[in-house]
Amino acid sequence: RQRAQEKGEVRKVFVEQSDMRAKRMARKSGALVIFVVDASGSMALNRMKNAKGAAIQLLADSYTSRDQVSIIPFRGDVAEVLLPPSRSIAMAKKRLERLPCGGGSPLAHGLSMDEILDIAAKIYKAGMSLLVIDTENKFVSTGFAKEIARVAQGKYYYLPDASDAVISAATKDALSALKNK
């Protein structure tokens, strides 16, 4: 204002440095939740239904959370991406109509414990967070699922016979804790 008056300029509006503001938008990044499900054995259909239900529940919140969900079942010596990473409930429902189940020993039995723990360590080194939800009694007795979470410095939940709602809630709690770090 003072400079304009000294120069003889007449201005009706004066914009000063203190009037300038810039809002920087922080883009909210979402998480990628991958359900790796043992689809072999007698309880496979139940596990797959629970994973499907939990995925649908997480996707219902994905618009605001920007989270993506994927499901990879394994059975015998085969693993497939049944649901690639997605935020679409419609796509998930269409892709998850077919729930492949059955077969012999799970794929994890084809890997040694050292190989699986090496993968867990690589997950941690890559800056990813691992959540292990153990719904089986057989891994608890060996402590293997807990050891995977420990090596990856991730979270471990023991939820025997958990429903899709319980699995979804545990996943949401873990994601919330990670995002609030």
Side-chain angles (χ1 to χ4, degrees), residues 105-172:
S105 303
L107 181 64
H109 290 197
L111 298 172
S112 73
M113 216 169 164
D114 289 338
E115 289 171 313
I116 293 172
L117 294 177
D118 184 52
I119 292 168
K122 287 177 181 176
I123 287 171
Y124 172 71
K125 287 177 186 170
M128 294 184 276
S129 298
L130 181 68
L131 167 65
V132 177
I133 298 177
D134 187 352
T135 61
E136 296 292 322
N137 289 326
K138 63 184 174 188
F139 287 124
V140 174
S141 61
T142 64
F144 189 51
K146 200 172 200 172
E147 181 66 6
I148 293 169
R150 186 195 66 75
V151 169
Q153 296 190 20
K155 292 208 176 273
Y156 171 80
Y157 289 99
Y158 173 53
L159 304 173
D161 305 318
S163 67
D164 55 348
V166 171
I167 292 170
S168 175
T171 305
K172 285 178 186 178

Side-chain angles (χ1 to χ4, degrees), residues 67-84:
D67 294 337
Q68 295 183 64
V69 177
S70 176
I71 295 182
I72 303 173
F74 62 92
R75 64 189 189 287
D77 60 354
V78 176
E80 67 175 297
V81 178
L82 188 59
L83 175 64

Side-chain angles (χ1 to χ4, degrees), residues 16-86:
E16 296 178 355
Q17 186 68 31
S18 62
D19 295 326
M20 303 286 205
R21 290 182 176 61
K23 184 172 183 178
R24 294 189 182 138
M25 300 294 283
R27 184 170 172 93
K28 187 178 179 183
S29 66
L32 171 58
V33 177
I34 303 171
F35 288 98
V36 180
V37 184
D38 178 359
S40 65
S42 60
M43 296 301 290
L45 186 59
N46 191 38
R47 284 191 297 268
M48 288 297 294
K49 284 182 179 178
N50 287 340
K52 174 185 174 181
I56 298 296
Q57 288 180 34
L58 290 171
L59 287 171
D61 296 335
S62 69
Y63 181 76
T64 55
S65 67
R66 296 195 178 300
D67 294 337
Q68 295 183 64
V69 177
S70 176
I71 295 182
I72 303 173
F74 62 92
R75 64 189 189 287
D77 60 354
V78 176
E80 67 175 297
V81 178
L82 188 59
L83 175 64
S86 175

